[in-house]
């Protein structure tokens, strides 16, 4: 939402808006001349003609209610973003996992190669680059979110599908409907880039689609992957690739980004060389701090597959040391916790120590999911051989994590809720102990 608001402000459109808490994003918008508010109230609409809402806004929000009473134009976030793409060659990056990193990689490649792209990515780039509008004829990169079906709004010259795995069934209703959504997403693009190592992607990739992956028939083939500390190396169809972000999953993300950039005219060698300077995005294996010999990272992983990939990347980074891996996980949504309880437990058991927080409800209510809680995950994690403790008191979590950690360990805070605030508190607790 903040990225979209920033782009409209950049175009000279008067922008106002509100959020539930202060943030650097609100400060940035204020610096662009936007009127911003903390908290929601009907009078904050002012003389707005269009009101843009995200899926997180409930029907009883006072500003949304007032907009309806006044007969204002109401757009979903995706419609406001789609309007920015009109007349521009769009690159829409979709998939269950890896959308943010892949779309950020595409934007980084195009920027480094002088293409002046516009982009809206789901998290700020570690380089400090924020959403941009770009030249009128330059490619425009968007992270295409499938959670609420909004990825079907975007006109795209190139669509990227990183992978497909059942998720967001609270919105889609069934696995079949979820897969059908991706089929529609692929059908809307002029050219589709897809992961040939993912069977669901292979099933829907059109005959003229371009594949990336380990498969021999891939248009961009991944070879000789080496995980080196918290980075990686590989060859993409013979072209050397070196990344400063960890994990085999990020090599796949890079291949997707390079192939997408190539579809709009970027040379493969130049694209791979550009990614050597990519430093990741906010909340994707983000280094938060180090204290008492313990390194603390924060990651957005909130699905079992994402947990497995992130923990594996951290484990690779610990290779050759006596350090242990400590995971602090906050489940996101009662429905996801219910649907993937066993898978979450197995994934978390890959860590040496696990601290579990209570479920972050987001838009859901605990009363609608009786018996669904973090204790379920603790049971499954223990059954899978994991060492796990459930800390229900949020204030006690940083201390519990710091108590477990020792020199050479890596701590990962994980989840899509407010667990990101725990990471700096863990660093502070470690500093106090030292």
């Amino acid at each position: 939402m903040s990225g979209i608001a920033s782009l409209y402000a950049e175009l000279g459109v008067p922008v106002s808006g509100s959020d539930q808490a202060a943030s650097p994003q609100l400060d940035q918008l204020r610096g662009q001349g936007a009127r911003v508010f903390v908290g929601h109230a009907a009078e904050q609409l002012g003389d707005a003609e269009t009101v843009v809402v995200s899926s997180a806004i409930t029907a009883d929000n006072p500003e949304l209610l007032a907009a309806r009473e006044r007969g204002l134009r109401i757009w979903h976030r995706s419609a406001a973003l789609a309007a920015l793409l009109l007349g521009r060659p769009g690159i829409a990056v979709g998939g269950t996992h890896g959308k943010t990193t892949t779309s950020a990689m595409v934007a980084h490649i195009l920027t480094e190669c002088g293409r002046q792209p516009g982009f809206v990515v789901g998290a700020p780039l570690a380089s400090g680059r924020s959403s941009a509008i770009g030249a009128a004829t330059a490619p425009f990169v968007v992270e295409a979110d499938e959670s609420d079906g909004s990825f079907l709004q975007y006109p795209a010259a190139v669509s990227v599908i990183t992978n497909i795995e059942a998720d967001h069934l609270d919105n889609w209703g069934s696995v079949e409907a979820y897969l059908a959504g991706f089929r529609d997403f692929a059908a809307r693009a002029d050219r589709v880039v897809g992961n040939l190592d993912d069977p669901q992607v292979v099933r829907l990739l059109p005959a003229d689609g371009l594949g990336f992956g380990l498969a021999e028939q891939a248009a961009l083939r991944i070879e000789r992957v080496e995980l080196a500390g918290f980075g990686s190396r590989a060859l993409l169809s013979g072209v050397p690739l070196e990344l400063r972000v960890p994990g085999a999953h990020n090599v796949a993300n890079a291949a997707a980004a390079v192939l997408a950039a190539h579809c709009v005219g970027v040379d493969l060698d130049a694209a791979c060389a550009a990614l050597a300077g990519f430093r990741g995005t906010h909340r994707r294996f983000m280094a938060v701090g180090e204290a008492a010999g313990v390194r603390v990272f924060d990651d957005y992983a909130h699905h079992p597959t994402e947990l497995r990939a992130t923990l594996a990347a951290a484990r690779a980074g610990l290779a050759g040391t006596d350090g242990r891996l400590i995971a602090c996980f906050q489940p996101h949504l009662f429905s996801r916790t219910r649907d993937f309880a066993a898978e979450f437990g197995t994934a978390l058991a890959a860590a040496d120590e696990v601290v579990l927080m209570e479920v972050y409800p987001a838009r859901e209510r605990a009363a609608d999911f009786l018996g669904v809680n973090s204790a379920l995950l603790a049971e499954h994690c223990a059954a899978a051989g994991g060492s796990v403790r459930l800390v229900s008191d949020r204030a006690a979590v940083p201390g519990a994590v710091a108590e477990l950690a020792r020199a050479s360990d890596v701590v990962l805070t994980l989840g899509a809720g407010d667990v990101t605030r725990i990471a700096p508190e863990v660093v502070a607790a470690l500093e106090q102990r030292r």
Side-chain angles (χ1 to χ4, degrees), residues 24-35:
Q25 287 75 28
L26 283 189
D27 292 339
Q28 177 186 329
L29 287 169
R30 189 179 291 110
Q32 289 184 266
R35 294 170 57 244

Side-chain angles (χ1 to χ4, degrees), residues 11-318:
L11 288 170
V13 178
V15 172
S16 64
S18 57
D19 202 357
Q20 61 184 355
S23 68
Q25 287 75 28
L26 283 189
D27 292 339
Q28 177 186 329
L29 287 169
R30 189 179 291 110
Q32 289 184 266
R35 294 170 57 244
V36 297
F37 305 93
V38 175
H40 301 281
E43 59 269 19
Q44 291 169 185
L45 287 181
D47 58 357
E49 299 170 334
T50 301
V51 175
V52 181
V53 298
S54 77
S55 298
I57 299 301
T58 57
D60 60 353
N61 180 280
E63 294 172 24
L64 181 55
L65 288 174
R68 286 182 173 143
E69 289 173 4
R70 288 166 49 180
L72 301 182
R73 181 191 296 113
I74 299 173
W75 276 356
H76 185 265
R77 168 189 55 80
S78 58
L81 180 52
L84 291 167
L85 267 70
L86 294 175
R88 299 170 183 268
I91 300 176
V93 180
T96 308
H97 317 294
K99 294 183 293 293
T100 297
T101 298
T102 303
S103 53
M105 284 178 165
V106 177
H108 178 85
I109 290 170
L110 295 175
T111 301
E112 291 298 303
C113 293
R115 296 297 298 275
Q116 296 182 301
F119 58 91
V120 173
V121 177
L125 276 65
S127 63
R129 290 177 181 147
S130 57
S131 299
I133 197 67
T137 58
F140 198 109
V141 185
V142 296
E143 178 179 339
D145 181 16
E146 88 284 1
S147 66
D148 54 6
S150 61
F151 68 160
L152 300 178
Q153 295 248 28
Y154 306 129
V158 180
S159 284
V160 179
I161 305 178
T162 58
N163 44 63
I164 304 175
E165 184 178 9
D167 197 8
H168 305 293
L169 300 185
D170 56 322
N171 175 70
W172 290 93
S174 68
V175 174
E176 293 73 20
Y178 185 74
L179 297 178
F182 274 99
R183 191 172 295 109
D184 291 343
F185 174 65
R188 291 168 180 263
D190 298 329
R191 178 57 63 89
V192 181
V193 170
N195 184 354
L196 294 190
D197 300 328
D198 186 298
Q200 298 291 2
V201 177
V202 171
R203 289 189 184 99
L204 60 79
L205 194 66
D208 63 348
L210 294 174
F212 65 89
L214 301 170
E216 289 187 11
Q217 68 272 29
L220 189 68
R221 190 178 179 194
I222 301 172
E223 300 174 285
R224 299 185 188 178
V225 177
E226 298 178 26
L227 303 181
F230 291 106
S232 52
R233 290 187 292 268
L235 293 179
L236 300 185
S237 291
V239 179
L241 171 76
E242 187 161 348
L243 298 175
R244 297 167 65 181
V245 290
H249 62 293
N250 275 323
V251 175
N253 291 338
V258 167
L259 192 51
H262 188 58
C263 284
V264 294
V266 176
D267 178 76
L268 289 179
D269 291 77
C272 289
L275 284 178
F278 179 73
R279 291 166 40 211
T281 66
H282 183 70
R283 296 223 61 208
R284 271 62 177 183
F285 216 101
M286 180 180 72
V288 176
E290 182 174 347
V294 178
R295 289 173 290 178
V296 180
F297 297 85
D298 182 46
D299 195 272
Y300 193 68
H302 57 282
H303 184 282
T305 297
E306 295 165 357
L307 287 179
R308 284 192 292 270
T310 304
L311 293 174
R315 184 68 71 189
L318 282 166

